């Protein structure tokens, strides 16, 4: 969407606070020995407190309030009583929701407890790449140029990017135009960011894989060559200068 009034801006701020605070609280709540189902139920209660509705459930009838992806799962991880969080797990929580007709999206990966699998550098790289990319976005900047920032940042850090997952427009629905804010430079994409547009910018930084593929026909996506993938995401409003980071309260950069 393109924000054209104070009412629309206030609506986006409210829903972005709901998803941002929910993400922050879910990260703090996650503990070794907890199931991803329990963590998701906690997230659902938080969204309910804000009066917000789970976007994946409302849009796709996803079997959970949030997406919780653990270790080899790249994205769209389904909450389960059978998945028990362990020391050193790479956990990604993706929270998106609708509130009063406005939609917002954010996510973040983190290492649970002690970093016994040495994955913190991957997490840190993803955070930095998202920071660098977002801070280059303003009206008139080519979408493909931001993809180049992500891809080159990953390569410099010794990692790869997932090429078939992308950021997207958001605001009046969960996924809007522009639909392909990719993690690499797509030379065929001549589209530019527009002032006042609302977009969800997200990284998919990988150790081994370049593509996400379905796992046994379920929601869960895994890497085509295995390994680990980190994702970090903010919903922002594009301006003439530095973007307004609507989900800043999630504190994924802290």
């Amino acid at each position: 969407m393109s924000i054209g009034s104070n009412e629309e801006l206030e609506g986006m701020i409210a829903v972005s606070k709901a998803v941002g605070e929910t993400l922050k609280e879910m990260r703090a709540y996650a503990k070794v020995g907890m199931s991803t189902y329990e963590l998701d139920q906690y997230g659902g209660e938080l969204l309910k407190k804000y009066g917000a509705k789970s976007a994946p459930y409302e849009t796709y009838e996803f079997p959970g309030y949030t997406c919780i992806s653990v270790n080899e799962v790249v994205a769209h991880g389904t909450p389960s009583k059978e998945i028990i969080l362990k020391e050193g797990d790479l956990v990604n929580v993706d929270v998106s929701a609708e509130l009063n007709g406005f939609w917002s999206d954010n996510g973040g990966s983190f290492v649970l407890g002690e970093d016994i699998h040495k994955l913190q550098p991957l997490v840190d790289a993803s955070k930095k790449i998202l920071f660098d990319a977002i801070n280059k976005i303003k009206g008139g900047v080519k979408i493909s140029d931001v993809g180049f920032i992500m891809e080159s940042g990953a390569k410099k850090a010794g990692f790869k990017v997932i090429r078939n997952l992308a950021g997207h427009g958001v605001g009046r629905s969960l996924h809007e135009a522009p639909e392909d804010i990719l993690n690499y430079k797509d030379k065929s994409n001549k589209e530019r960011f527009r002032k006042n547009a609302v977009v969800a910018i997200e990284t998919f930084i990988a150790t081994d894989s370049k593509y996400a593929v379905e796992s046994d026909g379920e929601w869960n996506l895994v890497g085509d060559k295995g390994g680990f993938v980190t994702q970090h995401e903010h919903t922002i409003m594009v301006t003439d200068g530095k973007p307004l980071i609507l989900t800043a309260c999630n504190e994924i950069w802290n």
Side-chain angles (χ1 to χ4, degrees), residues 10-27:
E10 289 170 2
M12 284 306 306
I13 289 173
V15 68
S16 296
K17 179 180 180 181
V19 299
E21 292 287 349
T22 297
L23 174 60
K24 181 176 71 173
E25 293 299 326
M26 287 180 70
R27 287 204 325 268

Side-chain angles (χ1 to χ4, degrees), residues 71-74 160 162 206-211 213 222-229:
N71 292 331
E72 74 279 358
V73 178
V74 173
K160 310 175 190 298
I162 298 295
T207 57
D208 299 276
S209 296
K210 289 187 177 181
Y211 294 93
V213 296
V222 298
D224 63 328
K225 294 185 178 179
F228 297 91
V229 177

Side-chain angles (χ1 to χ4, degrees), residues 11-253:
M12 284 306 306
I13 289 173
V15 68
S16 296
K17 179 180 180 181
V19 299
E21 292 287 349
T22 297
L23 174 60
K24 181 176 71 173
E25 293 299 326
M26 287 180 70
R27 287 204 325 268
Y29 189 74
K31 298 292 185 294
V32 171
M34 177 184 295
S35 72
T36 57
Y37 173 83
E38 181 181 347
L39 180 58
D40 179 66
Q41 290 294 303
Y42 178 70
E45 287 299 316
L46 291 170
L47 290 175
K48 184 178 179 180
K49 181 183 74 172
Y50 285 102
K53 297 179 181 178
S54 164
Y57 180 80
E58 292 293 316
T59 305
Y60 303 113
E61 296 186 353
F62 181 78
Y65 297 107
T66 65
C67 299
I68 304 176
S69 306
V70 181
N71 292 331
E72 74 279 358
V73 178
V74 173
H76 304 165
T78 53
S80 171
K81 294 179 181 179
E82 307 302 318
I83 301 175
I84 306 300
L85 297 176
K86 302 183 295 296
E87 192 81 29
D89 275 350
L90 180 65
V91 182
N92 175 265
V93 178
D94 193 312
V95 183
S96 54
E98 179 272 335
L99 177 62
N100 297 326
F102 296 95
W103 303 66
S104 189
D105 195 358
N106 70 165
S109 296
F110 59 97
V111 175
L112 185 64
E114 185 180 352
D115 185 23
I116 58 179
H117 304 299
K118 309 301 181 186
L119 293 171
Q120 193 61 46
L122 179 65
V123 173
D124 291 342
S126 179
K127 290 181 181 181
K128 182 180 187 302
I129 290 164
L130 182 67
F131 181 88
D132 291 344
I134 283 179
N135 280 281
K136 291 295 184 181
I137 295 175
K138 62 181 179 179
V141 169
K142 285 184 178 180
I143 289 176
S144 62
D145 286 349
V146 172
F148 176 76
I149 291 170
M150 292 182 172
E151 185 177 27
S152 59
K155 187 177 294 184
K156 183 177 180 181
F159 301 117
K160 310 175 190 298
V161 298
I162 298 295
R163 298 174 69 87
N164 62 333
L165 295 175
H168 51 88
V170 68
R172 286 297 189 177
S173 62
L174 181 56
H175 291 99
E176 299 177 348
E179 297 177 353
D180 291 317
I181 306 175
L182 297 164
N183 278 214
Y184 68 95
K185 185 178 180 69
D186 178 6
K187 295 180 181 179
S188 68
N189 186 359
K190 307 301 181 184
E191 193 171 3
R192 297 175 184 269
F193 289 101
R194 297 181 180 181
K195 181 183 176 182
N196 296 333
V198 181
V199 290
I201 307 297
E202 52 189 320
T203 56
F204 293 96
I205 310 303
T207 57
D208 299 276
S209 296
K210 289 187 177 181
Y211 294 93
V213 296
E214 290 184 359
S215 174
D216 300 324
E218 299 175 351
W219 288 92
N220 298 349
L221 299 177
V222 298
D224 63 328
K225 294 185 178 179
F228 297 91
V229 177
T230 49
Q231 180 257 19
H232 289 87
E233 177 182 23
H234 272 305
T235 289
I236 69 171
M237 184 182 81
V238 181
T239 73
D240 280 336
K242 294 295 183 183
L244 175 60
I245 302 173
L246 296 166
T247 49
C249 64
N250 67 24
E251 299 183 1
I252 60 174
W253 284 330

